[in-house]
Amino acid sequence: MQLTKENGDVRQGHPVYAQMGPTIFEHMSGLARELGAINLGQGFPDEQGPPELLEAAARALREKSNQYPPSPGLPELRDAIAAFYAARQGLSLAREQVIVTSGATEALAAAVLALVEPDDEVILFEPAYDAYAPLVRRAGGVPVLVPLRAPDWRYRREDIARAITARTRTIMLNDPLNPLGSVASEAELAMLAEVCMAHDLVAICDEVWEDVRFDGRPHRSLLSLPGMAVRAVKVGSAGKIFGLTGWKIGWVCASAELARLVGRAHQFLTFTTPPALQWAVAEGLVQPPGRFAARNAAWAASRARLAAGLAGAGFAVLPNAATWFLCVDLAASGIALGDRDFAERAVREAGVASIPVSALFEGAGAPTGIVRFCFTKPDAQLDEAVARLASFRDKLG
């Protein structure tokens, strides 16, 4: 968009944003709204969220302060985050090591702005959340793209070694990985920690799916590995833990020094986050472990329902260990369309929105035949989506 100044000159705006269109998520959700399609594209549950958290937020609105909370976050929430990670991941964190942000994307932005300097190279593993590269560029850094390869989507030392130069300062890691639902192994995490220490790198770890796992394994944060306590920034999200994406409550956990730096960037982004929602999340994080198990069991049932439905309709569903998403291999399903063509036609002709995975790659080697579907929807909606997709597939021949 061109902005006209009073003297008639045209200002283009910052090139990182001036040349960008809407994200693939906004595009597909916009089509779903426009066409009345079932939205299995953008990742959010079609439910109100845990009643006890809704009541806690309402109670906090009535009974607690509605004025600015401290910029780093309410002490109650910072303590609850530290306690949550101590109980579930064995991390030892103090309040000073936690910064509350307005969603995980703001946490990532604050981390990038605080830690990436002009001309720094930042390794990004693809597929990647589409905010990563623009954030790095806006900070003056240079994204260096390392594609993960089918079928296992593993982090390989040789691929990383080829990407590292004298200007490499940071890596950004998304584990568990959206959109593919894969999880880094212990050996891969150990290798990544060794690389960071050998090359004096800081790791920005997007771990928002840490508590949405279906493989029976507890999450292991790169922050917990030897040598990483002073060089890893861990990003988490209440939206993913509780299925409350619209609340936009995220956080950063790091050493006190790194947390302080990120907090300084955060204070000039959103400064703070609604206090009632912070109090409610603090209550939610100290719930008994069984409450989290019941929530994941419900999501696992939806995952199994969609997987069975898609497989029964002839779609090749890829393995998934985490996240709210299942991916389908179009070629293995006997469908000759590329993922972008399939997604565009499916939302218009079948009335089902999805996400083409190639949209989450910038570099070469992007797979062009994988689409992502969100399964955290009511049973009837999943069944109707499968029926529509099955009919659409039959028409493709």
Side-chain angles (χ1 to χ4, degrees):
M1 182 178 73
Q2 293 183 338
L3 303 176
T4 303
K5 298 186 286 186
E6 288 184 5
N7 62 7
D9 293 339
V10 173
R11 184 191 317 159
Q12 296 291 340
H14 195 283
V16 170
Y17 303 120
Q19 300 172 16
M20 292 177 63
T23 70
I24 188 63
F25 306 104
E26 183 60 26
H27 173 66
M28 296 307 300
S29 289
L31 284 176
R33 290 190 295 269
E34 175 187 336
L35 301 170
I38 296 172
N39 190 356
L40 303 189
Q42 194 168 10
F44 58 86
D46 278 15
E47 58 187 28
Q48 282 291 87
E52 62 272 24
L53 265 74
L54 303 184
E55 175 53 35
R59 186 174 66 252
L61 280 170
R62 293 190 303 265
E63 300 176 3
K64 295 180 180 288
S65 172
N66 287 291
Q67 307 307 328
Y68 292 130
S71 179
L74 290 173
E76 295 92 332
L77 178 53
R78 298 166 77 194
D79 289 344
I81 291 167
F84 178 79
Y85 285 137
R88 296 183 73 80
Q89 297 181 22
L91 294 176
S92 178
L93 297 169
R95 179 188 298 175
E96 293 70 27
Q97 294 177 257
V98 180
I99 303 293
V100 178
T101 59
S102 294
T105 300
E106 197 239 319
L108 292 165
V112 168
L113 291 172
L115 301 174
V116 176
E117 298 183 26
D119 297 324
D120 283 357
E121 292 183 354
V122 180
I123 291 177
L124 306 182
F125 299 100
E126 292 191 307
Y129 178 40
D130 59 0
Y132 294 170
L135 288 173
V136 169
R137 292 189 180 106
R138 190 62 183 88
V142 180
V144 177
L145 308 173
V146 176
L148 305 181
R149 291 175 278 166
D152 56 2
W153 313 107
R154 292 301 171 197
Y155 301 91
R156 292 177 168 83
R157 186 188 291 268
E158 60 270 25
D159 294 338
I160 300 170
R162 281 193 295 269
I164 292 176
T165 74
R167 292 167 53 196
T168 307
R169 295 290 180 270
T170 308
I171 65 171
M172 293 185 72
L173 173 70
N174 179 206
D175 182 50
L177 178 65
N178 171 22
L180 298 164
S182 58
V183 176
S185 67
E186 287 285 332
E188 289 172 284
L189 291 173
M191 178 271 293
L192 289 166
E194 290 169 5
V195 167
C196 287
M197 288 184 287
H199 297 276
D200 193 23
L201 307 181
V202 173
I204 299 175
C205 304
D206 180 353
E207 300 181 11
V208 298
W209 299 105
E210 60 194 344
D211 218 52
V212 186
R213 292 179 62 149
F214 308 103
D215 58 357
R217 292 168 49 202
H219 180 74
R220 180 80 184 274
S221 174
L222 192 62
L223 180 69
S224 70
L225 269 70
M228 294 305 294
V230 296
R231 61 176 67 249
V233 173
K234 172 184 174 69
V235 172
S237 167
K240 304 304 189 293
I241 292 172
F242 298 109
L244 290 165
T245 59
W247 280 23
K248 299 296 292 178
I249 305 288
W251 50 76
V252 165
C253 300
S255 68
E257 179 182 359
L258 289 179
R260 187 162 49 250
L261 288 173
V262 175
R264 288 171 181 164
H266 158 69
Q267 70 183 345
F268 295 117
L269 291 170
T270 62
F271 178 71
T272 192
T273 299
L277 302 183
Q278 290 195 53
W279 270 304
V281 170
E283 288 193 27
L285 288 174
V286 297
Q287 293 179 106
R291 182 65 180 85
F292 298 99
R295 171 219 58 199
N296 266 23
W299 287 338
S302 295
R303 168 177 170 263
R305 190 181 194 96
L306 182 59
L310 289 171
F315 290 96
V317 181
L318 297 179
N320 154 281
T323 76
W324 292 333
F325 311 111
L326 290 175
C327 288
V328 162
D329 184 326
L330 297 176
S333 305
I335 297 172
L337 294 176
D339 57 353
R340 291 176 185 260
D341 288 341
F342 178 92
E344 287 286 338
R345 289 187 60 179
V347 71
R348 297 178 188 279
E349 299 174 32
V352 179
S354 60
I355 296 294
V357 169
S358 65
L360 302 180
F361 283 76
E362 283 193 9
T368 57
I370 300 176
V371 290
R372 189 195 85 172
F373 297 98
C374 178
F375 57 74
T376 52
K377 310 293 178 181
D379 289 351
Q381 194 175 107
L382 293 177
D383 294 346
E384 176 62 22
V386 167
R388 293 183 186 187
L389 290 168
S391 176
F392 174 62
R393 183 183 183 282
D394 289 343
K395 292 174 183 176
L396 293 174

